[in-house]
Amino acid sequence: MLRRSSPLLVLGLIAVVASCNDLTGGIGANGSPVGIVLMNARTQGAGYTTSPIVNFYSVGSATFSFSTVNSDTCVAAAYDTTSVPTTATHIGAGAYMIAAVSGDTDSLYISPTSDKTYRSKHVSGIPFNPGDSVFFNIAGDAVGFPPLSGTSRTAEPFTIARPVIPAVGQPMTITWTPATDNNAGMYVALLYNKGGGTNLNAQIFCDFHDDGQGLVQASLLPALSSSSVPFVLHAQRLRTQLLQGSLSNSYFNIISTFEVPTPVSP
């Protein structure tokens, strides 16, 4: 099973996933070729940049991210930024691949390290307009991931109002600028302290359909109200695209995010 924790989802805003289990065939006994792109928006002056991070794996089964799978509910959980390690076999997809956004094109080169991560050599990444399409062209590797070309829409900017803790027994309403279609998800974390002290060690995590409004159940709010420090709001719009490669059992999962607060580009 492929398990990958996104470094972009540093506040535990893990996308709801749907499984595609027991993939067969592919590149030998290790399983099927699967690729994952993680790209977020970062502010740079009055504009934005992005720096796609791409990895390819050989797996026997995979768990893909879908922005349209949402529960419209919230859960209480510990707040932990530790990434879940990936145990799948890393594979290559050629010496480099092409990424193009908003009229700008860049090459993503394979790392010499064992994880074979593909990144831009430009520290600040690629200038782009969040919400535009991104295009990837993968040359492929005969003993790794096969050739593939495809596009996906990136997550567009939004604003979100800081919610107010309501009276006891009432749900909390969270509002934001809704997405322009039904293919996006909104993930909201309310980070707070549980048990005393000043550190943020707990969260209410919500995954909503991206229609501009969500409700936090009243049963989760007493802990938020008793936090010894003001809660911190973090929100993330997610858009995903799952592409199939030239081999029928190869897949490429593009994951694009826009976060508030928005990270600053190097």
Side-chain angles (χ1 to χ4, degrees):
M1 175 68 73
L2 170 63
R3 301 284 186 184
R4 179 175 175 83
S5 177
S6 165
L8 306 181
L9 309 183
V10 294
L11 296 180
L13 308 185
I14 302 302
V16 175
V17 295
S19 294
C20 180
N21 293 315
D22 301 326
L23 300 173
T24 58
I27 58 177
N30 288 332
S32 301
V34 171
I36 298 177
V37 178
L38 301 170
M39 55 184 297
N40 68 338
R42 308 172 309 183
T43 61
Q44 186 179 68
Y48 297 93
T49 72
T50 188
S51 186
I53 300 171
V54 190
N55 286 98
F56 298 93
Y57 307 94
S58 173
V59 298
S61 60
T63 301
F64 300 117
S65 293
F66 292 92
S67 54
T68 55
V69 181
N70 309 96
S71 69
D72 266 335
T73 191
C74 307
V75 296
Y79 170 50
D80 184 1
T81 61
T82 303
S83 295
V84 178
T86 298
T87 57
T89 301
H90 297 272
I91 59 176
Y96 67 94
M97 58 183 290
I98 300 298
V101 290
S102 305
D104 198 359
T105 301
D106 196 7
S107 297
L108 310 181
Y109 292 92
I110 189 172
S111 167
T113 58
S114 60
D115 64 6
K116 300 182 179 180
T117 299
Y118 288 76
R119 300 175 185 267
S120 170
K121 290 187 176 181
H122 298 105
V123 175
S124 61
I126 314 168
F128 88 124
N129 298 315
D132 284 356
S133 293
V134 57
F135 168 78
F136 290 101
N137 185 52
I138 302 168
D141 188 316
V143 293
F145 193 86
L148 179 145
S149 294
T151 63
S152 177
R153 185 181 176 189
T154 61
E156 67 269 32
F158 66 94
T159 59
I160 185 168
R162 180 178 175 82
V164 176
I165 299 177
V168 175
Q170 298 298 312
M172 172 190 281
T173 300
I174 301 178
T175 59
W176 63 90
T177 308
T180 54
D181 59 35
N182 296 323
N183 295 318
M186 178 60 64
Y187 301 90
V188 177
L190 305 174
L191 312 177
Y192 62 97
N193 175 269
K194 183 178 181 180
T198 59
N199 61 314
L200 299 171
N201 58 9
Q203 66 176 316
I204 296 174
F205 170 67
C206 309
D207 67 293
F208 296 125
H209 288 91
D210 199 345
D211 55 11
Q213 181 173 296
L215 293 177
V216 182
Q217 306 96 289
S219 60
L220 300 178
L221 297 177
L224 190 70
S225 300
S226 62
S227 174
S228 58
V229 295
F231 72 83
V232 174
L233 169 70
H234 193 104
Q236 181 183 75
R237 170 164 287 149
L238 179 80
R239 286 190 177 274
T240 65
Q241 181 73 43
L242 184 63
L243 305 175
Q244 192 166 10
S246 58
L247 296 179
S248 61
N249 65 319
S250 60
Y251 295 92
F252 191 58
N253 199 183
I254 303 172
I255 303 170
S256 170
T257 66
F258 189 97
E259 299 176 59
V260 175
T262 310
V264 177
S265 179

